[in-house]
Amino acid sequence: MRIDVVSIFPQLFEPFFAESMVGIARDQGLAKLVAHDLRQWTDDRHRTVDDAPYGGGPGMVMKPEPLVAAVEALAGERGPQRKARVVLLTPQGRRLDQTRLQALAGEEHLVLVCGRYEGVDQRAIELAVDEEISIGDYVLSGGEVPAMVLIEGVLRLLPGALGNPESSEQESFQQGLLEGPQYTRPARFRDRDVPEVLRSGDHRAIAQWREERSKEITRRRRPDLLRHAEEESS
Ligand code: JD8
């Protein structure tokens, strides 16, 4: 998979692309990741990417010309012949979830557009963007962190990626539920013991205990997830 990012802060992505699971996916050749500076597609002396909003109001809006030029250079014109999927990260977008990540992980080429300021000129969105996505109902200052969230979520789903279970029955069983508590050594820490069952060696009992804890924490903290999980398994 190839992922191009368009941003006025492309340097934010370099350490993210270099480290951890994302860095390993890149090193393994699972993904080609490139962050582009939107100002590359300006042609004025000041490399201007923003302008005042028509109708007045606070802040600035991202100009359409550099953004559309960037997206068309990376993805081609919008339409049926376009090979890439162009995603704008924006609070107005559809909320990102695991189902959407799975669909995006099936794409050959993603172009992620990161807004800043008060947002993006509507005509640029209509002309160049295939899909608008939000990562959740809270306010950030731009699309860069949302793009990183999307990239990490997508890359770990690629076959051969770290954290992608080849054929994990456990993960498919626990689909859509929260994980229960986890423990590592030492067996006793500050007078607190690891639950006996986890040290018993009884794999059936361990699996059952984990299933119970998983359902319990999901019911207590995210009953909405439990309803979805029941629909999936029925
Ligand atoms: C892109 C500009 C900030 C948004 C005024 C200043 C996504 N889940 C999410 N929360 N926030 C964003 C997001 C915020 C952005 C931009 C994404 C570009 N801003 C603006 C409108 C109100 N602030 C996001 N995905």
Side-chain angles (χ1 to χ4, degrees), residues 89-91 115-118 133-136 138-143 146:
L89 288 309
T90 168
R116 278 271 155 179
Y117 314 111
E118 295 303 308
I133 290 178
S134 165
I135 64 160
Y138 37 81
V139 184
L140 303 173
S141 299

Side-chain angles (χ1 to χ4, degrees), residues 16 20 25 35 104 126-127:
F16 175 69
S20 187
L104 293 168
E126 291 167 8
L127 284 166

